[in-house]
Amino acid sequence: MYLNSVQCTQLATVVDLLAHPLPNDRLRAELARPLMELLNADYLASYVWSEAEGRFGEGVCSEGDSSHLRAYEKDYQYMDPISLQLRARRVPTLVTQVVAQRELVKTEFFERFLKDEGLYWGINLFGHDGTTDVGDLRIWRRLQKQNFGADEVQLLRMIYP
């Protein structure tokens, strides 16, 4: 993987944010813009898994309407065919590694939730501190761009907790 000078600066910004103690929700929100720039992404959302409640909550996002976050927390997470699979992997993972894109686009979750925001290609990182989830990073590109690849996975591995 080759990083140009702009990407090196973007990666340094992300690492610098991770090096400073910030409240969890603030850190996830502040990571959004520099991570999106580093990965050439269009959208980033982040949730925290609650083992006690068996659900995702505490959503923050980079772009778009926060009502989209609330809709996920209220309804769409229960039809989400990818997030629990991605969480179980506990390493940066392309969405297409857990479900083929041709299958994802046939789901109600895609049709009613992802497509509405123009989200097509995804990559995720589920952060944890031992056994405690500290938040995920759900990073998306629009259809007009290419899928994420090995370079983006490697970049996320560099910052993985």
Side-chain angles (χ1 to χ4, degrees), residues 28-29 31-36 39 41-47 60-64 69 119 123 136-141 156:
R28 292 182 296 127
L31 279 172
R33 177 59 47 204
L35 266 176
M36 287 175 51
L39 300 173
D42 299 305
Y43 182 85
L44 185 148
S46 175
Y47 298 91
V60 297
C61 70
S62 61
E63 301 289 329
L69 289 172
L119 310 178
I123 187 170
D136 60 34
L137 300 172
R138 303 171 186 203
I139 306 160
W140 291 88
R141 287 181 178 160
L156 288 177

Side-chain angles (χ1 to χ4, degrees), residues 26-90:
R26 185 168 163 216
L27 175 61
R28 292 182 296 127
E30 289 195 25
L31 279 172
R33 177 59 47 204
L35 266 176
M36 287 175 51
E37 290 172 358
L38 177 63
L39 300 173
N40 188 28
D42 299 305
Y43 182 85
L44 185 148
S46 175
Y47 298 91
V48 177
W49 174 258
S50 169
E51 195 67 48
E53 297 177 23
R55 64 185 307 276
F56 292 102
E58 302 178 42
V60 297
C61 70
S62 61
E63 301 289 329
D65 189 347
S66 64
S67 66
H68 196 248
L69 289 172
R70 303 292 89 65
Y72 180 84
E73 290 178 13
K74 182 178 181 284
D75 297 314
Y76 292 107
Q77 70 176 297
Y78 304 108
M79 67 175 71
D80 179 345
I82 54 178
S83 293
L84 290 176
Q85 292 183 69
L86 291 162
R87 179 179 172 266
R89 294 184 65 134
R90 297 179 77 84

